[in-house]
Structure formats: C-alpha cells, structure tokens
Amino acid sequence: MTLTTRTKVTGAVLAAALVGSAALVSSTHDDRTGDGRAADEQRGSAQGGTGRVSLPEAKEGVPSRTATDWVSYGDQVAVVRVLAEHERPDPETQDEAAGAGTYVPRTVDLRVTDRLWARPSAAALPGAVSVTVDGWQLHDGVRERVASQDAARLEVGHTYVISFARYEDGVWAQLGSGAALPYDHGRVGSGEFAGHDVTVDAYRSALERQRVPGEEAPVALRTAGKTADDVQKVLRSAEPDPRATRPARATEPTDTFCSVASPLATSESGRHTPDELASVLTDLAGMASKPADASVLRSYATSLGAGTGAGKPDDTARAASVVAIERACGIDVGFLRPTDD
C-alpha cells in the first residue's frame, strides 16, 4: 500500500491510520444537535446496490457549504431517500475485520424523488445511486457509528437534499460534508444530522453558532425550515465562482481533517517524535476549516522545532490545538506532546 505524506507516524499508530481512515466516532450526544436523540439502530439490507460508489475521503475535495460552492463544483441537486445500507468490504483490511479500532466502510442506496437543479450540460442523474458514506468503527467487538459532528451521516429511512458531483470516471458522489441537508417531513433541517434526529430549531441554532461573520451563509442556514423549492430558488440566483476548478476523479483518496488527526488519539497508544507530530499538525493546519484553528495548529507545529531538535513547545498553542482537534473530531488527544522525547 502506498502511504500518504500526511500520515507520518510509526508502529501501531501508522497501522491504525491506514486501517481506520475514518472521521470520528460519535457515540454520545453532541450539543450542536440541540435536543437531538440517538437515531434508530442500524438496519442492514440484503438488497444490492445501484450505480457506482465513491470513496468517503473524496467528499472533502472541494468546498460544499454555500450556494456558490454548489453551483461551482456540483452537477445535480436532488431530494433523495435512503433505502438501504451495506458494508463495503475493503480488501486491504478484510482479514482484520474483527480487530479493535477497525473501520468498516458503508454504502447507502438512494432513490431520487425530486430534481432541483442541474449544471448546464451536466449528465443526467440516475433515479437510483449508491454512494459511500461514514461507516462504523469496531471497538472490542462492539460496532459504533462513525459520524462527523457537522454533517449528515445518511441514515436508512431518512430524506435529504443533496448536491452531487459526477466525475470523469462516471462516479456520482456527494459533493462534500456540507452538501447533504436533512429533509424529513418536507422541511430543511428536520431529520438526521450528525447521527442524531434533530428539529429545525436545533439545526438552525447549530448552524448559527458555526457561522463565520462576513462569509457567505451556507445553503443549510439560508433554507432551514423551508422547502426544496426554496433551495431551488437559492441555487438559481447563485453565480459560479470563475476561479473554481472541478476535481477530475472521485476515486483518488483525499484525507480529511479527522482521518489525519485520528492517529493522535490517546486510544491509539502510539508514540511519535517531535518531527512526526509537527508534520501531522502542519497537515491539519492546511485542512482546518477555521482560520483560528489553522493558526494555532501551525504555531504549535513550528514551536516543536521540526528537524532542528531545538524546539521550545508553545504550551498556549498546544492547549488551543487540543481544543481545535477534539472539538472537530470528538477524539481525546491528551496533552498532544511528543511521546518519545
């Protein structure tokens, strides 16, 4: 297997990073989902998938939260219902499927119920597609759902508004983590979000807390509590970014912030030198969604003195980096210090 430059860790940590390139395990209630409750237990299906699937890592290749993002990078926007889910066996890790910390990928079958927007000259969206989404993590024989804290997981029985991109190899994929809006009962913000059932009010409150002043408001916030027709109106009034470069392929893996951060979790019991830790932190700084998080991660990485051996770790930046990673990924990274000084 070819290693990415982002995963510069050793021993068991490296193995865990390769086996479980997941976002985060959300087994507890996250306060950003308001009064959300745990979603229904996972339901399997013997039905076969439809269409072609994409790797979950590819979904963060482009921006996906605003109307500008959707019309710049997307091909089709549709209302879909999740009909079934399946494990997606990984030949690289199939023999280790029972191991602690193993990540199990998941695909979901979607039925398109309404088409809202299409990029000029875009390929037609099939009536049924399958996409790869967050799956499960195995811990001591117990399967736990993997779910990003600020994105829909796509659960069986729920309805969503999704922006899709079609890549040159024919793969249809969700544009990104910001490209799926809960849409149960015909209202944006009602349904599943971050692995929990949420109300429109809770959804809107979570989005308001995440909003960055001065930046374009996400589609989710602009349409919370409204209908698919309102989403359509927002998209029809949006202008593509002329600087946008559409990704060519969905099947080339791209690490996410949380998959890169996962080897730093204390549960991985790994050891890493100042150089290795600084390398991971630098990569995280380049992927952080918030400028403030990027700044503290980069400051702490620099203070470790990578390659010089003369670093004086910045404890203020270190503490802020701990908060940034744990808030984004829901993992415990301890004190985030090199472990083999």
Side-chain angles (χ1 to χ4, degrees):
M1 179 182 292
T2 302
L3 308 185
T4 67
T5 56
R6 297 188 189 282
T7 315
K8 301 179 175 112
V9 289
T10 58
V13 176
L14 179 56
L18 296 176
V19 171
S21 59
L24 61 125
V25 176
S26 177
S27 58
T28 58
H29 170 68
D30 174 55
D31 63 359
R32 286 189 294 176
T33 62
D35 59 353
R37 57 182 174 82
D40 294 339
E41 291 298 315
Q42 297 301 313
R43 287 165 284 182
S45 173
Q47 300 176 15
T50 53
R52 301 178 64 188
V53 300
S54 63
L55 296 175
E57 297 91 343
K59 69 183 181 182
E60 299 304 329
V62 295
S64 63
R65 298 193 177 276
T66 68
T68 299
D69 297 336
W70 287 24
V71 301
S72 297
Y73 302 101
D75 288 297
Q76 297 274 355
V77 175
V79 177
V80 304
R81 186 164 180 82
V82 183
L83 300 181
E85 61 183 18
H86 318 271
E87 288 187 9
R88 183 174 63 82
D90 186 345
E92 297 283 353
T93 62
Q94 197 164 14
D95 293 339
E96 305 171 16
T102 299
Y103 178 63
V104 181
R106 179 177 66 111
T107 64
V108 292
D109 300 340
L110 309 176
R111 184 183 73 234
V112 175
T113 62
D114 193 13
R115 291 169 172 80
L116 305 179
W117 175 89
R119 180 180 56 83
S121 302
L125 179 67
V129 293
S130 290
V131 296
T132 298
V133 293
D134 289 334
W136 303 278
Q137 198 86 9
L138 297 181
H139 289 286
D140 298 325
V142 178
R143 179 177 294 198
E144 298 178 316
R145 287 174 298 173
V146 169
S148 299
Q149 292 184 351
D150 60 353
R153 187 174 186 269
L154 299 195
E155 298 273 16
V156 174
H158 287 281
T159 301
Y160 303 85
V161 173
I162 295 182
S163 177
F164 292 95
R166 184 179 185 273
Y167 298 85
E168 66 179 16
D169 50 5
V171 171
W172 284 97
Q174 180 181 322
L175 185 61
S177 60
L181 314 181
Y183 195 61
D184 287 357
H185 315 299
R187 298 181 69 199
V188 173
S190 174
E192 180 273 321
F193 184 69
H196 302 281
D197 285 357
V198 295
T199 64
V200 171
D201 288 343
Y203 184 69
R204 184 185 290 110
S205 295
L207 297 171
E208 288 283 7
R209 288 195 292 271
Q210 297 171 30
R211 185 175 181 181
V212 178
E215 294 188 0
E216 180 181 349
V219 176
L221 183 57
R222 295 176 65 181
T223 59
K226 299 180 180 180
T227 69
D229 288 343
D230 294 295
V231 175
Q232 185 180 64
K233 292 174 183 176
V234 167
L235 296 177
R236 286 178 174 174
S237 65
E239 293 291 334
D241 183 347
R243 301 166 299 177
T245 301
R246 292 168 50 81
R249 301 180 68 86
T251 52
E252 296 176 357
T254 301
D255 291 316
T256 65
F257 182 93
C258 292
S259 70
V260 173
S262 62
L264 302 178
T266 55
S267 60
E268 301 298 348
S269 302
R271 301 175 67 83
H272 31 272
T273 68
D275 281 5
E276 291 165 346
L277 180 57
S279 178
V280 174
L281 293 169
T282 299
D283 287 335
L284 290 174
M287 305 171 78
S289 60
K290 298 181 179 180
D293 290 348
S295 178
V296 297
L297 288 162
R298 191 171 291 108
S299 293
Y300 182 39
T302 301
S303 75
L304 291 171
T308 69
K312 294 182 179 180
D314 182 338
D315 277 341
T316 299
R318 177 188 57 77
S321 295
V322 169
V323 172
I325 296 172
E326 293 185 346
R327 180 183 59 229
C329 301
I331 58 176
D332 179 4
V333 296
F335 294 106
L336 203 61
R337 294 191 177 104
T339 50
D340 60 347
D341 294 338

